[in-house]
Structures are given as structure tokens and as C-alpha cells.
């Protein structure tokens, strides 16, 4: 019995490691999350029964027990070097020329990979087990962050197979993906918790937590990119071979790493990655180009703290410093008033930026922003530029105060880049980065000064809407301030609403851009979206910068837009909290507008992804007589959509109310709820006489008793899964 339990425990560890690797390293899971969870629970149960069998590298042991008091220092056996930077094709060609000269014009191939904006770490594996993880520090010595790195699912605690050297060091970058960063912050915001400032900061701060439980809750990932200290007899010939071996041992390597045969191919790689920069799953600041042959690397050698055989090709910085000249308040489609910083123009993310969103008044307070402040601005890809922090001048700590003198915005970039990662200062800067960021979460707002002291640099919310003069309201506990006028009465809201209505994902009205909408609203020709369909060619053609031809084209586009889909129409209405995906779910669920218009909050809550807040907003929208009139008006003007098969009626559980209770072993309750909703059922939180069916897992309590009292049928999880299976819902 014990033997078989032991064998099962080993088997479970092996299986879980295998699936961990498929999921976290290879991004190719083979089993459902629920199956994985079941294996994990089984392992935990066995380990509870046999505590002395729990191995240090068991998949259950990623999070250690007690928090650390401090990080121990670790001296790197092989120094962690930094890289020379180049920013132009010419500089890259010069570097290439220097390599060629030193190697007597031997052919040179390169291994290129994205330079991820994260935190460099070194891992030591001994006999296939993770023995130590350290930060780069100043390149010579870093800090022991093993307990934290153990929590990162893509870092194996035990390597695959038995071919890895008995002891070796692997280096790589720990980072937070863009998607994980957003999801983490969305959840933190919803829970009223502090958010991460940016992915890089988030990664650095997460690794510097004394309590590994906090690190474990952060979505960290690692890509390995090179070997450090290497024991045993095996020596790779090339960088690419080293990467292949690392991957074979179960370490995660970047699939974007490519072998390129010459400088031209290298330039093509740089162009390709730059073009795809926004679409990559993580932030990068450039590409690392390495001579592929390790023999050539050895012969090229290193100069003070950076190798001659590699170079970092940097893309335009996505962050730069500038000054806030003023703050404007813009009114959005739903009346939300957004403060926008007017900036001294600065070159960032490849363009000159002069506006940056400040989101809301809470954000201004959190930043501690005042007019005239010097700030760090970030523009990544097509994302709206953001002010990410105020730079306290005169502290000299980060050297940024010195940037005051810099006139040319491009210079600001260069200087800033050098400060953070330049060839001469990068060793220091890398370690400072981590040390200067003891908190990776946004700091609490500073204590307020006496409001009686009127400070001209203080940024104040206007008391009246800048567009229509109506009072601005900011409900208790909400960070968003709004214009109190109805959408149809405030020109700013009207313009934004029309822009949304005409946008590509909504009614897709070609040629109806912001400038024209501004004209139409300002001349009073259009108040509501329905007015668009009543425009005539004469009036349109008479507008400045609008010829007869454009007027006719616009009318044609307007007429074409009348034929739409229910989902697009719902989205076009601009109901608060109803984005494109929610509109699609609503359309699929209700099939037509009439049942949606008349749906109660409870009816709405059963729609996939519609929670109580969204449901309330939808109901509120359709309860407003102005909105109902607008919808009628639009339909009266000929807006129509093909009938969607009324899914509700075709569904096997339509009209039934189900209740879930107890724990389901195989599926989270939220997923079970979705499955039921997908079959047409409503899922309620409590049992009544009208409940059609109760699904009860272990631990079901009061609801089960109620079901018995009312004579409501009860099924267990197995029966529930059978039902899902027969309905093709599994
Ligand atoms: S190779 C000899 N490859 O860039 C230097 N570095 O200054 C070996 N980095 O902080 C570094 N992605 O953490 C290399 N694919 C990559 C990288 C990468 C990011 C970082 C690294 C270090 C800095 C080098």
C-alpha cells in the first residue's frame, strides 16, 4: 500500500512537471486546467498523508515557508556583463566591421534575439536541481533571490532528463508580459489594491519581496538566453546550440531567437522585430545581436565589463522626460471628464508627443502632479501617451534634474538612455534600478497640504463642464468626474457619442471623422445619431471643406451603414460598460433587440460576462425614455439587422433556473455557470420553488436542505458532467 502510494507520488510529481513544462515553457498544454488541478490536489493530499516524502523540488514546494529578513549577497563566478549600445544601421555596421577586423575577415554569423525589458538573473543548477538564483547586481555580485525565483512556474525546479552538466549557470531575463501586467492591474484596481507601475518595475519589485508568497502572486516569466559558469565536459560550439540544449533541459528560451548568416540578414531581423514590437507579448527595448560561434566570441573577448562579441541594438526609447505646461479637461462620450496634460513637446516612442492622459483626479493625486512639474512620459506603440511619474527636481538622486538644461527633445532621450543603461554606467544603473525601486507598486498619495493655501500650480477639477457649463459631479468613492448634463444636451458628449456610433467596430460609417462630426454638432445640424440619416446633400455640400462629391459619398456610406448586425448596433449605442465583446454576448443571448430592451437586471446577469454592475448599466440605459426614443428613431430611419436565430428558444435548458452549490472538483463554479447559461439556463444564487434543478458538490449545505424542502431535484457532479457531455457542452 505504502509502496504504491510512494510510486503514485513520484508519478504525480513527474506528470505535473511534464505538464508544467508543456504549459509554462512550451506554451502547448495537453490537458485541461481542471485535469491539472486534479493531479495537483491529489499530490497535495498524498503529501499531507506522508509529510516526510515531500521533496524540496516537489511541484507543490514552489512557495517556501517563512519570509526572509534580508537578501544574502552572492558573488558571480563569471561576471555578468553589460552590452554596448547601437542605435542606427551605421553603428551596427561599424561594430560588425570591428569584429571582422579582429577575426581577419572570417565569415561571421549571428544569433539575434529580442532584448526584453525585465530583470537579468542568474540561476545555478546542481545535479539537475535549481540551487541558487541571483540578481545581476553590479555585475560582480548580486542578491540571493532563490526563494522568489522558485515561485516562477516557467523556472523548472528540476531539469528534464539527465544530460545537463552536474553544475552550471544559466542566465536570462525575468519579466511580466503585457497581457499579464494589464490583467494584474485590472484585478488589483477592481479589488481596490495597489497597481504595478510598469512591467519592468513590476518584475524588479516582485523579485525584491522578502515574502515569496507575494512574488508567487505576481505573473512572472523567464526567458533564458545564455550560459554562465559551466561545469562538466560538454561545451557548446555556438550560441544557438547552447539555446537548444537549454530548451532540451526544460528551460524556457525565446522562440524569436534566430540564427542569421550576415549583416544584411541581421538588419532584416531588426526591422522585422521593430515592426512587430507592439504585437510581441512583452516589452522590449531592442535586439541583442551576438556572434554565434563561441570560439569567435572567445577570440573577440571583452573590454571593461562588456563583450566585443555582442551588441544591443536599441529602438527609440518609449519613455522620456518633459514638463507639464498645463492641464486640459476633456469630456468623453459618457460625460466622463478626463484631465489631459499639455506637455512641452518631447520625442518618445518614435514620435513627438505634446499631450498625455492623466486618467482622472485620483491619478493626479497619486502622481502628486502640479503644473510645471517635470515628468516621465511613456508612449509604447499605439497606446496613448501616459505620465508615469513626477520627477522630483533637485534631489539629484536619479540625475534627472540635470536634464533640465537639455533643449533638444531627442537629446533628452539619449541622455536618459545613457543614464539608465549606458555602456559606462550600466553596471551601476542596473543595480540601482532595482535598489531605487523598493516598492514596485504605486505609492500612496502624499499627505495633503492645507487646501486654504491657494497654490497656482495645484490642478483642480473644474466645477463646470468645459463643454456645456453644466455642473460637474463626482459621486462619493468614484474616481471619475462627470458632466451632469444628459448626453444629448452636452456638445462634447454628443460629439464623442457620434464618433463612437460611426466607428469601425460600431456602425462603420466611412468618411464620418472627428472634424466633420465637430462641424455637424457645432452647426446644430446633428444632435443625435438618428439625425445623421436625415442629412441632405445640399446642406452637407455647403459645409466648409466639403464638396458635393464628398457629401454624396457620405450619404452613401450612411445609407450602407443602416444594414448592420444586432451586435454592432448594441455596441454603437455606447451603453456604459458595454464593449464589443459584451455586445456580441448580448446579441447572441437575446437574439433580437426587443427582449434585450425589456430585460430585467436578473435576466441580464445570466448573459456570459455580464455581472451585476454591467447588468445595471444596461437596464438603466433602456429604462431611460430618451434612449428608448433614440433607438426607435434609428429603427424608424431604417437601421436594421438580420434576425439572429433565437438561441434562447433552441437551448435545451431555456426557461429553467438552476442553482450550483458545494464544490465541484472538476470545474470552477464560474465555468459551470457559463456552461449552464450556454445551454439556456439561468443560474441563481438561491433555491426557490421555481428552481428547476440543483447541482450539489461536496460541502453543500443550506441550499441542499432548501431543495429537499421544496422538492427540487438534485444532481451530483457526475450526473452534471453527463448532462454537459450529452449536450456537447464539455
Ligand atoms: S545577453 C554579455 N540577451 O540586457 C551580455 N541580454 O546589458 C549578455 N537582456 O541586463 C546579455 N534580453 O538582462 C542578453 N536576449 C537577451 C537579453 C538581454 C535582455 C538584458 C540583460 C542585461 C542587458 C545587457
Amino acid at each position: 500500500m505504502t509502496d504504491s502510494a510512494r510510486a503514485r507520488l513520484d508519478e504525480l510529481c513527474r506528470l505535473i512537471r511534464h505538464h508544467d513544462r508543456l504549459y509554462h515553457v512550451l506554451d502547448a498544454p495537453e490537458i485541461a486546467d481542471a485535469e491539472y488541478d486534479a493531479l495537483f490536489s491529489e499530490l497535495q493530499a498524498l503529501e499531507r498523508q506522508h509529510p516526510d516524502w515531500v521533496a524540496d523540488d516537489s511541484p507543490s514546494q514552489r512557495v517556501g515557508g517563512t519570509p526572509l529578513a534580508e537578501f544574502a549577497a552572492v558573488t558571480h563566478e563569471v561576471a555578468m556583463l553589460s552590452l554596448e549600445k547601437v542605435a542606427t544601421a551605421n553603428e551596427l555596421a561599424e561594430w560588425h566591421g570591428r569584429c571582422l577586423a579582429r577575426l581577419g575577415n572570417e565569415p561571421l554569423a549571428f544569433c539575434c534575439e529580442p532584448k526584453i525589458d525585465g530583470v537579468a538573473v542568474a540561476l545555478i543548477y546542481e545535479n539537475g536541481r535549481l540551487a541558487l538564483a541571483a540578481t545581476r547586481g553590479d555585475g560582480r555580485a548580486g542578491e540571493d533571490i532563490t526563494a522568489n525565483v522558485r515561485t516562477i512556474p516557467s523556472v523548472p525546479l528540476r531539469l528534464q532528463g539527465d544530460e545537463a552538466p552536474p553544475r552550471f549557470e544559466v542566465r536570462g531575463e525575468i519579466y511580466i508580459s503585457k497581457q499579464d501586467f494589464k490583467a494584474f492591474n485590472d484585478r488589483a484596481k477592481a479589488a481596490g489594491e495597489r497597481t504595478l507601475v510598469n512591467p519592468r518595475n513590476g518584475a524588479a519589485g516582485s523579485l525584491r519581496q522578502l515574502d515569496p508568497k507575494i512574488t508567487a502572486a505576481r505573473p512572472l516569466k523567464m526567458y533564458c538566453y545564455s550560459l554562465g559558469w559551466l561545469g562538466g565536459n560538454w561545451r557548446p560550439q555556438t550560441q544557438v546550440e547552447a539555446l537548444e540544449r537549454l530548451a532540451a533541459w526544460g528551460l524556457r528560451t525565446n522562440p524569436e531567437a534566430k540564427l542569421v548568416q550576415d549583416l544584411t540578414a541581421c538588419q532584416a531581423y531588426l526591422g522585422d522585430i521593430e515592426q512587430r514590437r507592439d504585437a510581441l507579448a512583452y516589452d522590449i527595448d531592442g535586439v541583442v545581436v551576438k556572434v554565434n560561434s563561441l570560439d569567435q566570441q572567445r577570440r573577440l573577448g571583452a573590454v571593461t565589463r562588456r563583450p566585443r562579441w555582442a551588441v544591443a541594438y536599441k529602438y527609440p526609447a518609449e519613455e522620456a522626460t518633459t514638463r507639464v505646461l498645463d492641464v486640459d479637461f476633456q469630456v468623453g462620450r459618457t460625460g466622463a471628464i478626463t484631465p489631459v496634460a499639455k506637455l512641452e513637446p518631447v520625442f518618445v516612442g518614435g514620435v513627438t508627443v505634446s499631450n498625455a492622459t492623466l486618467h482622472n483626479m485620483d491619478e493626479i493625486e497619486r502622481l502628486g502632479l502640479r503644473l510645471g512639474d517635470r515628468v516621465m512620459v511613456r508612449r509604447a506603440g499605439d497606446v496613448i501617451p501616459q505620465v508615469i511619474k513626477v520627477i522630483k527636481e533637485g534631489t539629484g538622486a536619479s540625475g534627472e534634474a540635470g536634464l533640465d538644461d537639455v533643449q533638444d527633445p531627442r537629446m533628452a532621450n539619449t541622455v536618459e538612455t545613457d543614464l539608465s543603461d549606458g555602456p559606462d554606467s550600466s553596471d551601476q544603473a542596473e543595480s540601482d534600478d532595482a535598489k531605487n525601486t523598493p516598492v514596485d507598486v504605486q505609492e500612496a498619495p502624499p499627505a495633503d497640504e492645507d487646501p486654504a493655501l491657494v497654490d497656482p500650480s495645484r490642478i483642480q477639477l473644474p466645477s463646470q463642464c468645459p463643454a456645456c457649463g453644466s455642473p460637474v459631479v463626482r459621486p462619493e468613492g468614484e474616481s471619475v468626474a462627470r458632466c451632469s448634463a444628459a448626453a444629448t444636451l452636452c456638445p462634447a458628449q454628443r460629439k464623442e457619442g457620434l464618433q463612437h456610433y460611426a466607428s469601425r467596430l460600431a456602425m462603420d460609417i466611412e468618411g464620418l471623422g472627428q472634424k466633420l462630426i465637430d462641424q455637424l454638432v457645432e452647426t446644430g445640424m446633428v444632435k443625435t445619431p438618428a439625425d445623421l440619416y436625415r442629412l441632405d446633400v445640399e446642406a452637407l455640400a455647403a459645409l466648409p471643406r466639403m464638396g458635393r462629391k464628398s457629401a454624396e459619398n457620405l450619404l452613401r456610406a450612411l445609407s450602407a451603414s443602416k444594414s448592420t448586425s444586432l451586435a454592432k448596433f448594441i455596441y454603437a449605442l455606447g451603453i456604459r460598460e458595454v464593449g464589443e465583446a459584451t455586445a456580441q454576448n448580448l446579441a447572441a443571448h437575446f437574439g433580437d433587440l426587443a427582449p434585450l430592451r425589456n430585460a430585467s437586471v436578473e435576466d441580464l446577469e445570466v448573459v456570459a460576462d455580464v455581472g451585476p454592475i454591467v447588468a445595471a448599466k444596461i437596464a438603466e440605459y433602456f429604462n431611460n425614455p430618451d434612449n428608448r426614443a433614440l433607438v426607435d428613431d434609428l429603427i424608424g430611419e431604417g437601421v436594421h439587422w438580420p434576425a439572429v436565430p433565437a438561441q434562447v428558444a433552441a437551448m435545451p435548458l431555456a426557461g429553467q433556473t438552476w442553482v450550483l452549490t458545494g464544490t465541484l472538483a472538476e470545474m470552477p463554479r464560474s465555468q459551470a455557470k457559463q456552461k449552464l447559461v450556454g445551454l439556456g439556463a439561468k443560474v441563481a444564487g438561491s433555491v426557490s420553488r421555481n428552481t428547476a434543478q440543483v447541482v450539489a458538490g461536496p460541502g453543500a449545505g443550506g441550499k441542499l436542505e432548501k431543495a429537499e424542502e421544496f422538492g427540487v431535484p438534485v444532481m451530483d457532479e457526475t450526473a452534471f458532467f453527463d448532462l454537459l457531455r450529452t449536450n456537447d457542452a464539455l
Side-chain angles (χ1 to χ4, degrees), residues 81-83 85 113-117 119-121 136 172-173 225-226 288 290 307 309-310 421 426 430:
L81 303 179
S82 59
L83 289 170
K85 274 77 186 174
E113 57 182 296
K115 185 171 186 295
I116 298 186
D117 215 358
V119 181
V121 295
R136 178 171 181 270
E173 200 81 357
Y225 52 64
S226 69
V288 183
K290 299 172 194 176
W309 46 263
D421 213 5
S426 61
E430 292 273 347

Side-chain angles (χ1 to χ4, degrees), residues 293-353:
S293 152
L294 295 199
D295 176 52
Q296 288 178 333
Q297 285 191 6
R298 195 182 45 73
R299 284 187 282 136
L300 284 166
V303 279
T304 44
R305 321 213 44 74
R306 62 186 170 78
R308 287 201 192 89
W309 46 263
V311 80
Y313 184 94
K314 297 267 240 174
Y315 295 131
E318 294 185 320
E319 288 177 6
T321 60
T322 185
R323 195 176 290 286
V324 172
L325 304 174
D326 200 358
V327 171
D328 264 8
F329 288 86
Q330 294 182 355
V331 188
R333 166 167 64 84
T334 59
I337 294 188
T338 306
V340 176
K342 302 274 133 186
L343 306 170
E344 209 166 81
V346 62
F347 189 74
V348 57
V351 298
T352 300
V353 163

Side-chain angles (χ1 to χ4, degrees), residues 409-677:
R410 281 168 193 262
M411 280 292 291
N413 259 345
T414 324
V415 174
E416 182 200 336
T417 308
D418 283 344
L419 280 169
S420 62
D421 213 5
D424 299 324
S425 60
S426 61
D427 295 337
Q428 205 47 52
E430 292 273 347
S431 60
D432 280 349
D433 267 352
K435 294 209 176 85
N436 284 343
T437 345
V439 261
D440 56 326
V441 284
Q442 301 192 351
E443 285 163 28
D448 246 347
E449 294 111 69
D450 184 352
L453 299 170
V454 184
D455 175 352
S457 69
R458 201 186 182 91
I459 300 162
Q460 270 175 318
L461 181 69
S463 56
Q464 291 179 325
C465 170
C468 72
S470 305
V472 166
V473 290
R474 188 178 172 192
E476 211 25 62
E478 277 194 27
S479 47
V480 179
R482 285 177 199 283
C483 160
S484 59
T488 45
L489 298 177
C490 169
Q493 292 187 54
R494 218 182 271 155
K495 287 177 187 170
E496 295 289 326
L498 285 163
Q499 239 185 76
H500 174 78
Y501 185 83
S503 65
R504 199 173 51 80
L505 296 174
M507 302 300 277
D508 195 13
I509 306 172
E510 230 187 282
L512 186 56
Q514 188 194 328
K515 293 229 167 67
L516 182 54
I517 288 175
D518 288 355
Q519 284 183 329
L520 293 171
V521 171
E522 281 156 22
T523 53
M525 288 164 75
V526 169
K527 291 197 169 58
T528 79
D531 293 338
L532 290 170
Y533 300 112
R534 293 186 276 264
L535 287 170
D536 65 69
V537 80
E538 305 302 330
L540 269 177
L543 285 172
R545 288 187 303 280
M546 186 82 171
R548 194 166 181 94
K549 186 124 188 77
S550 325
E552 280 170 3
N553 284 344
L554 179 66
L555 288 186
R556 210 166 301 120
L558 277 163
S559 165
S561 78
K562 289 183 188 172
S563 174
T564 185
S565 71
L566 176 59
K568 282 179 167 244
F569 182 71
I570 296 171
Y571 175 64
L573 293 177
I575 305 167
R576 268 171 73 183
E577 308 290 339
V578 177
E580 199 203 349
T582 308
Q584 278 167 358
N585 290 343
L586 290 167
H589 183 85
F590 289 102
D592 206 350
L593 195 64
L596 169 63
R597 267 173 88 139
N598 300 321
S600 67
V601 171
E602 292 74 38
D603 296 337
L604 289 161
E605 270 186 54
V606 302
V607 177
D609 291 334
V610 175
I613 296 175
V614 182
K617 291 278 179 262
I618 301 168
E620 190 183 310
Y621 180 90
F622 286 111
N623 282 334
N624 179 327
D626 288 343
N627 295 335
R628 295 181 79 93
L630 170 66
V631 169
D632 287 337
D633 200 2
L634 287 168
I635 293 170
E637 288 300 330
V639 173
H640 64 279
W641 48 85
V644 185
Q647 265 192 33
V648 182
M651 290 177 175
L653 306 183
Q656 300 185 10
T657 303
W658 285 50
V659 172
L660 293 162
T661 178
T663 22
L664 301 181
E666 300 283 324
M667 188 183 270
R669 226 199 271 182
S670 55
Q671 201 184 342
K673 177 182 165 184
Q674 271 192 9
K675 298 272 181 201
L676 285 168
V677 170

Side-chain angles (χ1 to χ4, degrees), residues 77-107:
E77 284 157 84
V78 178
M80 290 181 82
L81 303 179
S82 59
L83 289 170
E84 178 185 339
K85 274 77 186 174
V86 294
T88 61
N90 253 347
E91 287 173 13
L92 184 73
E94 281 167 22
W95 169 75
H96 179 251
R98 289 197 298 273
C99 289
L100 281 182
R102 286 197 166 260
L103 295 172
N105 286 329
E106 277 174 29

